[in-house]
Amino acid sequence: MKITPRLTLLFIVYAAVLLTVVSLLAYFSGRAALRGAVISGLQATSLEKRSALADWVAAKRAAITLLASDPALAETAELVHSSPGSPEALSAHTQLLNELAPWVRGGEFLEIMLLDPQTGEVIASTDASEEGKFKENQPYFLQGKTGPYVQNLYYSIDLQGPAMTASAPVRAPSKELLAVVAGR
């Protein structure tokens, strides 16, 4: 074989090896860049969702605090609590449910309960099936007696799914604890 075809073959092999090496370097570099961009995008989305969830929880905490500080709620809670079974208590119970209904219909909460501060019994609820049940061991009841509280996500047997509950103390003007209001 003459020298010209050998040199041509050598240059073709050299060019093919060089092209293969450059292609592999470009492929791995591009792959690493795309992977970094995807991870960065997912982290940004995660931070955004975390912030949105924190804002949502803060809004629910503020809403339950606002509801608990409503003087009309304290007044009706005192009536319901003071004379159970009396016509005044039944009237106050109806009035209380009328006060709570807009918070549920407006989509702020799925359900709102008023709990006895001593026993944890549900005195009144926008879900009638909850009335008379005891929630004395629930963190939202225990913590809700001292101040506004939002219980982390938990599995609710009543709802048959995940739930979060915000609670706050309902106090008389004299600062006496009348009840705990809790909203799912």
Side-chain angles (χ1 to χ4, degrees):
M1 217 164 151
K2 293 189 178 186
I3 190 121
T4 305
R6 283 185 185 170
L7 279 175
T8 305
L9 186 60
L10 183 65
F11 283 130
I12 289 173
V13 169
Y14 176 73
V17 168
L18 186 63
L19 184 61
T20 303
V21 169
V22 168
S23 295
L24 286 174
L25 287 174
Y27 170 76
F28 287 119
S29 174
R31 182 176 163 190
L34 284 174
R35 184 170 189 245
V38 167
I39 288 173
S40 177
L42 289 173
Q43 286 175 335
T45 301
S46 173
L47 289 173
E48 191 176 302
K49 295 293 182 186
R50 182 184 298 166
S51 175
L53 181 61
D55 290 346
W56 182 80
V57 169
K60 296 303 177 194
R61 183 184 186 125
I64 203 74
T65 302
L66 180 66
L67 178 61
S69 65
D70 183 2
L73 182 69
E75 186 178 309
T76 54
E78 194 169 23
L79 284 173
V80 169
H81 190 58
S82 65
S83 53
S86 69
E88 296 84 19
L90 294 175
S91 173
H93 182 269
T94 304
Q95 183 182 350
L96 180 64
L97 291 179
N98 289 336
E99 298 250 353
L100 299 177
W103 292 84
V104 175
R105 272 188 254 124
E108 190 70 40
F109 295 100
L110 296 175
E111 170 195 3
I112 297 178
M113 302 174 278
L114 197 69
L115 308 168
D116 183 286
Q118 305 303 319
T119 63
E121 181 183 6
V122 179
I123 300 168
S125 174
T126 55
D127 178 3
S129 67
E130 288 295 308
E131 290 185 12
K133 291 183 179 179
F134 288 87
K135 309 291 184 178
E136 73 276 4
N137 294 328
Q138 295 295 333
Y140 60 82
F141 170 70
L142 298 171
Q143 300 295 323
K145 291 195 284 186
T146 58
Y149 176 75
V150 178
Q151 184 175 346
N152 285 334
L153 195 64
Y154 64 96
Y155 182 79
S156 169
I157 295 171
D158 299 328
L159 297 175
Q160 293 296 306
M164 288 180 83
T165 303
S167 62
V170 177
R171 297 194 182 278
S174 64
K175 303 297 180 199
E176 172 194 357
L177 181 62
L178 297 174
V180 175
V181 64
R184 287 190 207 200

